[in-house]
């Protein structure tokens, strides 16, 4: 891990912090590689249930480091995309905790996450057109899937910013908080971590992948994935815990034909 990206384990929640506050956390190649490595850790470590990505110094990410761009640097990771994330998200849930600005590539990094918690003073936008560029890391493809297409068109063509209240109104963010976004994100992560890990992982997988499934195959494809949930030890443990009025003790084990972790 390099000093441009910091990580900490907060009781099973991996907090990933872009650590370039003097540059408004503009994305570099090194930072992108650091994020990719952190996300690999998130998926490979069974202790970790949820990831949070945030920025140091009161800003989420101001986009690509333009000085690096002029030097010929591209802040991407092969197979992972801009910021080590936009082309390939982790299997486990990832929350963006946004303070300050999420602009250009920073917004594209944010919308590659599964959930977004924003401070009330946060600002959002894809102003690439103002610099003769285009939002090619998801702003032109993923954003219209998350907000009404005419709003996505307006943001892309004008390059104007919107505030947190407007972002919440159009469904771009899940929650707006008055304090640091990381506090709200940790609260959300705690609620997710309390649930069965297999159920969470498969639920995310179906929601993400079903968008590209042919309409007449959706139920069949879902049926292929659900046995991982319903034939797991956690499914029985969840029912038993409910009946016994206690907190469940999750194991993340599958008890189907091929026993073992899934």
């Amino acid at each position: 891990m390099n000093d441009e990206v910091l990580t900490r384990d907060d009781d099973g929640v991996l907090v990933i912090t872009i650590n370039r506050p003097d540059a408004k956390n503009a994305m570099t190649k090194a930072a992108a590689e650091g994020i990719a490595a952190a996300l690999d850790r998130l998926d490979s470590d069974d202790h970790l249930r949820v990831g949070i990505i945030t920025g140091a110094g009161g800003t989420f990410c101001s986009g690509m480091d333009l000085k690096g761009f002029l030097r010929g640097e591209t802040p991407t990771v092969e197979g992972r995309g801009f910021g080590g994330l936009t082309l390939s998200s982790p299997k486990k849930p990832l929350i963006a905790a946004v303070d300050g600005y999420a602009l250009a590539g920073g917004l594209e990094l944010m919308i590659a996450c599964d959930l977004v918690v924003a401070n009330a003073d946060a600002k959002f936008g894809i102003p690439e057109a103002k610099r003769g560029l285009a939002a090619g890391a998801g702003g032109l493809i993923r954003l219209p899937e998350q907000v009404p297409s005419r709003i996505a068109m307006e943001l892309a063509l004008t390059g104007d910013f919107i505030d947190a209240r407007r972002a919440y109104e159009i469904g771009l963010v899940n929650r707006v908080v008055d304090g640091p976004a990381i506090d709200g994100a940790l609260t959300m992560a705690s609620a997710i971590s309390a649930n069965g890990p297999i159920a969470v992982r498969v639920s995310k997988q179906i929601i993400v992948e079903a968008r590209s499934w042919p309409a007449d195959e959706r139920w069949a494809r879902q049926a292929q994935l659900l046995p991982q949930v319903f034939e797991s030890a956690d499914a029985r443990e969840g029912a038993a815990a409910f009946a016994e009025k206690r907190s469940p003790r999750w194991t993340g084990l599958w008890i189907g034909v091929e026993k073992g972790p899934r």
Side-chain angles (χ1 to χ4, degrees):
M1 194 64 61
N2 58 68
D3 60 6
E4 294 194 7
V5 174
L6 305 178
T7 61
R8 63 183 173 92
D9 178 349
D10 191 315
D11 193 23
V13 177
L14 184 65
V15 179
I16 305 164
T17 303
I18 308 168
N19 188 41
R20 305 191 69 236
D22 293 342
K24 301 297 183 183
N25 297 320
M27 187 60 54
T28 63
K29 179 72 169 179
E33 291 172 343
I35 292 171
L39 296 179
D40 285 342
R41 176 186 170 191
L42 173 63
D43 271 343
S44 64
D45 188 339
D46 290 340
H47 168 70
L48 299 171
R49 299 291 183 85
V50 183
I52 296 174
I53 185 166
T54 191
T59 293
F60 181 70
C61 176
S62 59
M64 177 174 63
D65 186 286
L66 293 179
K67 293 180 180 178
F69 173 73
L70 292 175
R71 295 193 301 268
E73 179 181 283
T74 303
T76 62
V77 175
E78 185 175 358
R80 304 295 289 267
F82 178 86
L85 170 61
T86 58
L87 288 183
S88 179
S89 68
K91 294 178 181 178
K92 297 176 184 176
L94 183 63
I95 304 170
V98 179
D99 298 293
Y101 293 95
L103 302 178
L107 183 128
E108 293 171 311
L109 198 69
M110 181 193 89
I111 62 176
C113 297
D114 303 301
L115 301 158
V116 182
V117 176
N119 173 267
D121 294 326
K123 299 290 188 297
F124 309 84
I126 43 173
E128 280 89 341
K130 292 181 180 290
R131 301 290 180 264
L133 302 171
L140 304 180
I141 295 175
R142 185 175 281 123
L143 186 60
E145 297 176 344
Q146 299 186 13
V147 303
S149 61
R150 291 189 187 278
I151 294 176
M153 186 74 75
E154 179 182 354
L155 292 173
L157 301 189
T158 67
D160 292 341
F161 301 169
I162 59 174
D163 61 19
R165 179 177 178 180
R166 179 60 172 156
Y168 178 78
E169 289 173 347
I170 64 176
L172 186 60
V173 306
N174 296 86
R175 299 180 185 178
V176 177
V177 296
D178 291 327
I182 186 63
D183 293 343
L186 284 168
T187 297
M188 179 180 282
S190 178
I192 295 171
S193 296
N195 298 329
I198 297 176
V200 167
R201 176 178 57 78
V202 175
S203 293
K204 169 180 172 171
Q205 181 182 0
I206 291 172
I207 290 173
V208 170
E209 294 182 2
R211 291 193 292 259
S212 62
W213 291 345
D216 60 348
E217 296 181 11
R218 288 180 178 177
W219 291 97
R221 293 198 183 193
Q222 177 179 256
Q224 293 174 353
L225 297 172
L226 288 179
Q228 297 176 61
V229 178
F230 289 95
E231 297 177 14
S232 69
D234 285 349
R236 295 187 180 184
E237 168 61 12
F242 177 80
E244 297 167 11
K245 298 182 179 180
R246 60 172 174 79
S247 298
R249 297 182 289 270
W250 308 120
T251 64
L253 296 177
W254 190 62
I255 56 175
V257 176
E258 299 176 4
K259 296 183 179 181
R262 299 283 289 189

